[in-house]
Amino acid sequence: NVIISRLTSRRACSNCGAIANIHDIEDENTCPKCGMKNTLVKRKYDDEQVIKYRIRVDREQTTPVLDFSIYKFKINKFNGTDPIDFVTKNIIKELEIDKQY
């Protein structure tokens, strides 16, 4: 649900190409990068049905590889809803520990 909420809220500026989340910007009719009005559009791959399909494919194809890697290399899982800085620090810390492989 978090993934669907985030991705269906994305908009692309047809003027400059910037990507913005309508929940994170002051005016959903104005591009936060170039300032143009009425240029933010929803891309077809940010449609809920497309996202659900992508999630299903990911679970079928990527999750088994991820699960094996977590088991084999003792990699920790991270909560993607944590603050970006926190997740980044934990990933870097994990990569530094796994340099022995």
Side-chain angles (χ1 to χ4, degrees), residues 13 16 18 25 27 29-40:
C13 178
C16 72
I25 58 177
D27 178 5
N29 294 315
T30 304
C31 175
K33 184 174 180 183
C34 70
M36 293 292 291
K37 297 258 187 218
N38 302 315
T39 57
L40 296 177

Side-chain angles (χ1 to χ4, degrees), residues 2-87:
V2 172
I3 292 170
I4 292 170
S5 175
R6 285 183 181 177
L7 297 183
T8 57
S9 300
R10 291 193 304 189
R11 300 294 183 269
C13 178
S14 59
N15 182 59
C16 72
I19 306 297
N21 188 300
I22 58 173
H23 299 298
D24 297 334
I25 58 177
E26 201 171 298
D27 178 5
E28 66 182 65
N29 294 315
T30 304
C31 175
K33 184 174 180 183
C34 70
M36 293 292 291
K37 297 258 187 218
N38 302 315
T39 57
L40 296 177
V41 294
K42 187 172 187 175
R43 301 170 299 177
K44 65 181 178 181
Y45 45 86
D46 288 334
D47 176 74
E48 185 171 345
Q49 295 308 313
V50 174
I51 295 165
K52 286 180 178 180
Y53 172 78
R54 290 168 42 205
I55 290 170
R56 184 174 57 78
V57 169
D58 181 68
R59 285 187 180 143
E60 292 171 358
Q61 297 179 5
T62 306
T63 301
V65 175
L66 180 60
D67 290 344
F68 172 78
S69 298
I70 289 168
Y71 170 77
K72 174 80 173 163
F73 300 109
K74 297 175 179 55
I75 297 171
N76 292 317
K77 289 185 177 183
F78 300 102
N79 182 349
T81 61
D82 285 336
I84 293 170
D85 291 344
F86 181 78
V87 173

